[in-house]
Amino acid sequence: MKKHWEQSSPTPASVGAASLDEATLRKIVTTRVRKHTQASFTYFWASFTLQLLVYALLSHVLIKYWPQTQVRLLSLLGIGLYIPFTIVLMNKFKRVARGQLKGKLPSSVRDYLSEQYQLLNSFFRFKKRYELVLIPVSAAIGVVLVFMLYVPGGVQAYPEGALITYTLTLVSCYGAIRAENRKSFIRPLQQLRDLLGEYQE
């Protein structure tokens, strides 16, 4: 695409064709970026929906068992734990969705691709770091609440069962996260790097 643009832009006689080529190239670049980031946006909606369910569930437990101090504190901790993740998720993906190809080609293409890549990559880095805390703590909260509310005697009565449940939860979560990272971030980021490389050669 870069070569096509450079070949079409030098001569004044080709101004009309260049304008057409510029509009076409803008559409092509935008379409390709949207295609590469589609998996990431699928993750966004799935993750956002999951977080809403977590908020709803913990809020329900919080209200229903308000007199129980331990349940109240654990529910509030769980809600507070997810709030920063939700804020960063919405902020980064809103900026990715609003990104536009502005200015003259091909420099504007490099800027646009670089911005899209940096936004997606910065969220991915944040996600990986935050999940190192989010997953173990939220899994522990979930296990303790389930045993506290539905198992007579709670974790104290069945420590081995609670530990097994916690371990299985962590393994399943990290397995799902690893697959999701590869599908929704590693591959799209690699595709954006390849696309960006076309305009840096």
Side-chain angles (χ1 to χ4, degrees):
M1 285 191 297
K2 180 182 176 183
K3 292 180 180 179
H4 178 69
W5 165 251
E6 290 174 342
Q7 290 172 358
S8 64
S9 58
T11 61
S14 61
V15 172
S19 298
L20 178 61
D21 287 341
E22 180 175 348
T24 302
L25 283 171
R26 287 177 183 275
K27 184 176 181 180
I28 291 173
V29 171
T30 303
T31 300
R32 290 183 67 182
V33 170
R34 290 289 179 261
K35 178 182 178 181
H36 295 330
T37 57
Q38 183 61 43
S40 299
F41 276 99
T42 300
Y43 163 83
F44 165 78
W45 288 113
S47 178
F48 185 64
T49 301
L50 176 61
Q51 289 167 53
L52 291 180
L53 291 175
V54 170
Y55 291 138
L57 179 60
L58 290 176
S59 297
H60 170 74
V61 172
L62 177 66
I63 294 171
K64 184 175 181 179
Y65 299 97
W66 180 264
Q68 299 185 33
T69 303
Q70 284 186 315
V71 175
R72 184 168 68 247
L73 292 177
L74 286 173
S75 299
L76 289 172
L77 177 60
I79 292 173
L81 192 63
Y82 274 87
I83 289 176
F85 190 84
T86 303
I87 292 174
V88 174
L89 175 76
M90 295 184 66
N91 180 54
K92 294 293 185 182
F93 275 87
K94 181 173 67 175
R95 292 175 63 186
V96 171
R98 289 182 175 180
Q100 295 182 358
L101 183 54
K102 301 177 181 179
K104 295 182 178 180
L105 298 177
S107 60
S108 62
V109 175
R110 289 193 294 268
D111 294 340
Y112 172 66
L113 292 174
S114 180
E115 180 187 30
Q116 295 286 297
Y117 177 84
Q118 292 299 331
L119 286 171
L120 194 60
N121 191 47
S122 64
F123 174 75
F124 184 41
R125 291 199 306 268
F126 166 79
K127 176 181 181 292
K128 289 190 294 184
R129 291 195 302 267
Y130 200 77
E131 283 176 341
L132 292 176
V133 176
L134 178 67
I135 300 305
V137 176
S138 61
I141 291 173
V143 170
V144 172
L145 282 176
V146 168
F147 273 73
M148 186 181 296
L149 298 176
Y150 301 107
V151 179
V155 174
Q156 292 82 0
Y158 301 95
E160 292 182 358
L163 180 60
I164 292 173
T165 303
Y166 179 68
T167 302
L168 291 176
T169 301
L170 285 183
V171 171
S172 60
C173 284
Y174 280 120
I177 288 172
R178 183 177 181 181
E180 190 63 54
N181 284 346
R182 185 165 52 250
K183 174 184 176 182
S184 300
F185 293 98
I186 296 176
R187 289 176 184 170
L189 284 170
Q190 180 60 54
Q191 291 166 341
L192 285 176
R193 279 197 299 269
D194 294 341
L195 187 57
L196 183 59
E198 295 180 17
Y199 282 86
Q200 291 179 334
E201 295 176 353

